[in-house]
Amino acid sequence: MSNATVQPSRPAPSRRPDSAPVKAGRGTRGRRKEAAPQFRGVVSPHTLKTPRGRVIYWIVLVTVVVGFTAAFVFPLYWMVTGALRSPEELAQMPPGFFPESLDFAVYAEAWDQLNLGQFLGNTLLYAGGALLFTLAVDVTAAYALSKLRPVLGNLVLGLMLATLMIPPMVILLPAYLTVKDLPILGWDLLNTPWAIWLPAAANGFYIFLLKRFFDSIPRELLEAAQIDGASASRILWSIVLPVSRPIIGVVSILSVVTVWKDFVWPLLVLPDSENMSISVGIASLSAQMPQNVLIAALVIASLPAIIVFFVFQRSIMAGLTAGSLKG
């Protein structure tokens, strides 16, 4: 037996399982570069932080905003100030940017000579009736397609949306023949408010907007009402309509403004001068009026729609985006 002693082997150094060897060198720098966020754009964020970059940024921003604002607002400004100019001043070349005098009596003259009171009353009647029929037809149709889910409901919705792809001028003649000789009943609806109300109620875009909002209403809420014994009509009236005020407000505003500014359809179905809308009435008398009086009449006819938009602008934008996200 040998006298040599056996040295005990040292245990290998323990390594924590959560620690991994880090390789220094190019690999680490490469991984750090890959982890850094990548900015892709015309101008880098570093350039925008420099004084020269900030100056260029604000110049471009102000130019774009002012340019687009002027392109949309200038026609409205020219219409309002054009009524305050004399016919000679309107024919002046080049035209002046500001009127030489402010004579607001031209608006009273336009009101009297063009009989705007009667035309405005007719248009209010057409717009109000179109609003009621639109809500009655489109709300119930959207509710049925969204919550009641009838057989072939998706096919019906697809056919409604397909009508949005057809230019309005293409269906103008068939719609006119339908109003002139109502199918089955055989009624002639020309020179009656029904010629405006019934076509306005059939709108696939409004039905699509309402359906998208109704789809976002939790189904559990409706099922709880069904358990309590509420019928489908009761659920629509007591639950769906109260929570759908934003989108109903949008549809109401859009339907009123559409009827208010429509020209071609009222021109065809309302040929009688006593039943003309505001746009058709002004056009029929435009050849007999001075140009500044005609522009003043256009300003008066545009005021209701402009006021409605500015008052309900926030509701319109909120209603258009409502229902787009679920959660």
Side-chain angles (χ1 to χ4, degrees):
M1 186 172 182
S2 174
N3 295 329
T5 60
V6 179
Q7 297 292 335
S9 60
R10 295 182 180 179
S14 61
R15 180 182 298 173
R16 290 180 299 175
D18 57 344
S19 64
V22 179
K23 296 180 179 180
R26 296 182 179 179
T28 305
R29 290 195 297 269
R31 284 196 298 270
R32 288 179 180 176
K33 290 183 179 179
E34 293 176 359
Q38 299 293 329
F39 295 98
R40 298 180 181 271
V42 179
V43 182
S44 65
H46 175 70
T47 304
L48 290 177
K49 293 179 180 179
T50 62
R52 182 171 177 269
R54 286 195 296 265
V55 171
I56 296 176
Y57 169 78
W58 282 108
I59 291 176
V60 174
L61 178 63
V62 172
T63 302
V64 172
V65 172
V66 172
F68 277 94
T69 303
F72 285 98
V73 174
F74 182 76
L76 182 62
Y77 166 79
W78 188 258
M79 180 179 64
V80 174
T81 58
L84 304 177
R85 306 169 188 261
S86 62
E88 295 77 12
E89 191 178 354
L90 288 172
Q92 180 183 354
M93 293 301 295
F97 191 77
F98 298 101
E100 296 179 358
S101 61
L102 301 179
D103 185 12
F104 293 96
V106 67
Y107 290 101
E109 184 179 355
W111 182 274
D112 296 333
Q113 293 188 12
L114 277 79
N115 198 14
L116 295 182
Q118 181 179 357
F119 293 150
L120 285 173
N122 293 339
T123 310
L124 286 174
L125 176 63
Y126 302 147
L131 170 61
L132 296 179
F133 277 95
T134 298
L135 294 181
V137 174
D138 294 353
V139 169
T140 53
Y143 174 71
L145 294 173
S146 176
K147 299 303 180 184
L148 303 184
R149 300 186 180 276
V151 180
L152 302 179
N154 292 332
L155 177 61
V156 173
L157 179 62
L159 294 176
M160 291 181 180
L161 296 179
T163 60
L164 302 179
M165 305 296 108
I166 303 175
M169 291 301 174
V170 175
I171 62 175
L172 198 61
L173 180 58
Y176 176 81
L177 296 177
T178 302
V179 170
K180 183 175 179 56
D181 186 9
L182 195 64
I184 301 176
L185 300 177
W187 294 344
D188 186 4
L189 302 181
L190 297 180
N191 279 318
T192 63
W194 296 97
I196 303 294
W197 295 344
L198 295 182
N203 194 301
F205 178 66
Y206 298 159
I207 295 176
F208 175 72
L209 284 181
L210 291 166
K211 181 184 180 300
R212 289 290 297 170
F213 188 90
F214 293 163
D215 290 341
S216 65
I217 299 178
R219 197 166 188 84
E220 293 78 6
L221 186 63
L222 308 184
E223 292 175 352
Q226 291 177 350
I227 294 176
D228 293 339
S231 60
S233 59
R234 179 68 176 179
I235 293 175
L236 173 62
W237 182 261
S238 301
I239 298 178
V240 175
L241 291 183
V243 300
S244 304
R245 290 177 181 175
I247 193 62
I248 291 177
V250 171
V251 171
S252 302
I253 295 170
L254 293 179
S255 62
V256 170
V257 173
T258 300
V259 174
W260 193 275
K261 67 183 181 63
D262 196 7
F263 176 77
V264 177
W265 182 247
L267 179 65
L268 293 177
V269 300
L270 301 172
D272 193 352
S273 60
E274 297 182 355
N275 299 322
M276 289 181 177
S277 62
I278 184 69
S279 57
V280 178
I282 293 176
S284 64
L285 301 175
S286 59
Q288 309 171 10
M289 297 295 155
Q291 193 171 6
N292 59 339
V293 177
L294 178 61
I295 296 177
L298 295 176
V299 173
I300 296 175
S302 305
L303 280 178
I306 296 175
I307 293 174
V308 167
F309 174 77
F310 279 109
V311 172
F312 299 100
Q313 179 183 7
R314 183 173 298 179
S315 301
I316 293 174
M317 302 306 300
L320 289 175
T321 57
S324 58
L325 299 176
K326 294 183 179 181

